[in-house]
Amino acid sequence: ATSAVSRELQKLSEVKSLTVYAGTTAPFIYPPAGIPIPEQLPPHRASVHVELVPKQQRDRLSYEVSRGVLHQLKDWLAPYNAKGHIGRIPSGPSSDRDITAEIYGPNAHARQEMADRMEHLLTSQPGVVSTEQIPENPLHLLNVWVDPQRAATRGVIPAEVTRTLLLAVTGRTVTTWADHSSRNPVPVILRLDKSLRDNAQALKAIYVPGINGHPVPLEDLVDFTRQPGNQVRYRRKMVPVTTVVVDLDRSVVQPLTVQLAVSKNLTTEAGKGPSSVRWLSPPVHADQSRLYWSGEWEMTRDVYRDLGTAGAVVMLLIYLLLAGWFSSYTLPFLIMLPIPLIFIGVIPAHWLLGLNIAGTGVLGIIALAGIVARNSILLVDFIKLREKEGMPLKEAVLQAGMQRARPILLTAATVMFGSGVLVLEPSLKPLGLTLASGVLISTLLTLVLIPVLYFHTHNK
């Protein structure tokens, strides 16, 4: 299946090179969808790392290439009964899966039943490309039991049975082949064909040497039994959990829209849905069935929470500094009034370009708070100085607007054009657009509102 996907990827003009990791853990380049297992990747899982040609040499951006491959991946893997998903290296805190739902319940049966229901609802939503449950159903085990009495009767040492089966299934490197087109020598491994390694009848047909040198078939010495494999158990804060992950076509729908729709459907189904849908924190007990949205939503929520806290601290510090400098508790509110006006420029600019105000955009708003407050300080401080010199309030306000307009506009132009170049970088585009549009509109409004409001509030 991995080779088939690799062949299809090589047909794309945007692909420069491929690296396949089969049966071994690939480099950790993005957060996992669920809780990572600290062990070697099982042999039935593989990953293909794709390197694209430089952006200047292709017509499509990397996310457009990923979206095109995502729609074809299911068809590529269908002949092999395999599943796959696309993981892109995020530019910020993000998960490699679009939606991650954690299912908690009092027992494994309740969790599995709820996970199946969740997967059915998610599959029915528009824009959902694929779903997957974690943990997956385990692989079946083929146990081999050596009968010591039969082995002794036929003159076979049990260790020879183990050694022969290990050679047949795992194989042994007998030599290497120096291929001039390969960087490293190619190992030559002696073992059974892949289709025969888990076939009990084929393994029974193998012969092992006895003490007297006569070959003895394994069928006379061993018994084969099949049993389900051991289920991997996932826990979060010591609470058992089953995870359902989803891949979306974001050109059709956004993750939050799907999450809200599924949550609404679950709560309206009496007796079938979870007792609660949690958005802010995972449950601490598994006494009832509960759904918790984690993954990308959890990371995004935490980022915006921290940014909101940082913004509140910045506002408080600005207020305290202004209150101490002007010896007033009310004047700082007038000076900080243009800060919310930033959104008058930011929101329409993002709407026109079809962008979301990402975490970097919120950082830009926090940075603009100080710049906008500085413009107001220049006006208010100039007015107060002229009032101390005995100038009438109206004339002081007019002179402040005329004489401070140039430095304020120069400062705004510096920020707007200096940060506007960030729009050319996709990952920093929200930051550059926020700084440029926010400082433009807020500066123009500050030059008008601050003098007018100061005159009306201080005119006696």
Side-chain angles (χ1 to χ4, degrees):
T2 309
S3 299
V5 171
S6 300
R7 286 192 296 269
E8 296 294 338
L9 290 173
Q10 288 175 348
K11 298 177 182 178
L12 302 179
S13 60
E14 296 90 352
V15 174
K16 179 181 179 182
S17 63
L18 303 172
T19 306
V20 178
Y21 298 90
T24 184
T25 304
F28 187 78
I29 60 174
Y30 48 74
I35 305 171
I37 304 175
E39 62 182 16
Q40 191 178 30
L41 199 67
H44 64 288
R45 297 183 68 92
S47 60
V48 182
H49 286 195
V50 183
E51 182 183 2
L52 303 181
V53 298
K55 183 172 62 176
Q56 298 80 6
Q57 301 179 16
R58 46 187 164 90
D59 298 330
R60 296 189 295 176
L61 297 177
S62 59
Y63 77 91
E64 294 174 327
V65 177
S66 300
R67 183 182 300 165
V69 172
L70 182 61
H71 283 285
Q72 302 179 68
L73 187 60
K74 187 176 181 179
D75 296 333
W76 295 347
L77 295 175
Y80 308 95
N81 193 25
K83 292 184 177 181
H85 75 279
I86 305 296
R88 296 179 62 241
I89 301 177
S91 57
S94 179
S95 174
D96 67 320
R97 309 305 286 265
D98 296 311
I99 295 178
T100 303
E102 295 181 359
I103 311 297
Y104 297 86
N107 52 64
H109 175 72
R111 292 193 301 273
Q112 187 61 50
E113 185 178 356
M114 188 63 219
D116 294 338
R117 181 60 186 161
M118 274 289 301
E119 192 169 15
H120 174 72
L121 288 175
L122 288 166
T123 305
S124 63
Q125 296 297 317
V128 174
V129 179
S130 63
T131 60
E132 183 182 359
Q133 290 190 26
I134 299 175
E136 300 174 331
N137 294 327
L139 297 178
H140 289 283
L141 300 178
L142 179 62
N143 293 325
V144 181
W145 301 96
V146 180
D147 189 328
Q149 294 182 354
R150 284 187 285 171
T153 302
R154 301 301 299 270
V156 176
I157 302 175
E160 287 293 337
V161 178
T162 305
R163 188 179 299 111
T164 302
L165 285 174
L166 190 65
L167 173 65
V169 176
T170 306
R172 180 185 302 169
T173 302
V174 294
T175 185
T176 57
W177 174 43
D179 184 8
H180 298 290
S181 61
S182 177
R183 179 180 300 178
N184 300 316
V186 179
V188 178
I189 301 175
L190 176 64
R191 59 180 172 180
L192 283 180
D193 185 76
K194 184 178 180 180
S195 60
L196 303 177
R197 294 173 203 162
D198 62 347
N199 189 324
Q201 297 300 324
L203 295 176
K204 289 180 180 180
I206 298 176
Y207 285 80
V208 295
I211 297 177
N212 54 6
H214 296 288
V216 180
L218 281 180
E219 188 173 9
D220 297 343
L221 307 173
V222 300
D223 295 318
F224 289 88
T225 59
R226 291 183 178 271
Q227 70 179 49
N230 298 322
Q231 180 71 55
V232 178
R233 298 180 182 180
Y234 286 87
R235 294 178 183 268
R236 180 166 182 170
K237 296 182 179 180
M238 302 304 297
V239 181
V241 60
T242 300
T243 305
V244 180
V245 292
V246 181
D247 291 323
L248 296 177
D249 183 353
R250 297 207 182 205
S251 63
V252 177
V253 68
Q254 293 299 317
L256 185 58
T257 304
V258 176
Q259 290 171 266
L260 291 173
V262 172
S263 299
K264 183 179 180 180
N265 291 336
L266 287 174
T267 53
T268 55
E269 295 181 354
K272 294 184 179 180
S275 59
S276 64
V277 179
R278 303 175 67 93
W279 294 83
L280 301 180
S281 62
V284 295
H285 301 290
D287 52 344
Q288 296 178 339
S289 296
R290 291 184 173 92
L291 165 65
Y292 170 61
W293 296 110
S294 62
E296 182 173 322
W297 159 257
E298 184 179 36
M299 295 181 184
T300 305
R301 183 202 66 210
D302 292 344
V303 168
Y304 280 96
R305 179 198 61 194
D306 296 341
L307 290 176
T309 303
V313 172
V314 168
M315 298 299 110
L316 179 61
L317 291 177
I318 293 176
Y319 176 82
L320 293 176
L321 290 173
L322 294 176
W325 180 260
F326 291 103
S327 301
S328 172
Y329 292 109
T330 57
L331 190 58
F333 288 108
L334 176 65
I335 296 175
M336 297 173 63
L337 183 62
I339 294 178
L341 303 180
I342 295 171
F343 293 98
I344 298 178
V346 171
I347 295 178
H350 281 76
W351 177 74
L352 289 174
L353 294 183
L355 291 177
N356 296 320
I357 303 178
T360 53
V362 180
L363 286 175
I365 294 174
I366 296 174
L368 282 178
I371 299 173
V372 172
R374 174 188 176 277
N375 295 337
S376 301
I377 292 171
L378 289 175
L379 293 170
V380 173
D381 189 56
F382 185 90
I383 295 173
K384 293 183 71 68
L385 289 176
R386 291 298 178 264
E387 283 186 299
K388 288 182 180 180
E389 296 174 357
M391 183 178 293
L393 176 60
K394 183 176 182 179
E395 187 177 348
V397 169
L398 292 175
Q399 283 200 12
M402 292 185 294
Q403 295 188 20
R404 291 302 188 188
R406 178 177 293 180
I408 290 176
L409 291 175
L410 287 176
T411 302
T414 302
V415 175
M416 186 172 65
F417 291 108
S419 59
V421 297
L422 297 177
V423 178
L424 303 177
E425 173 59 37
S427 60
L428 298 177
K429 194 172 185 178
L431 175 60
L433 185 60
T434 298
L435 292 172
S437 60
V439 75
L440 173 63
I441 302 301
S442 61
T443 299
L444 297 177
L445 294 176
T446 299
L447 289 172
V448 177
L449 287 179
I450 294 300
V452 172
L453 292 176
Y454 188 91
F455 177 78
H456 285 283
T457 55
H458 291 75
N459 187 23
K460 298 179 181 179

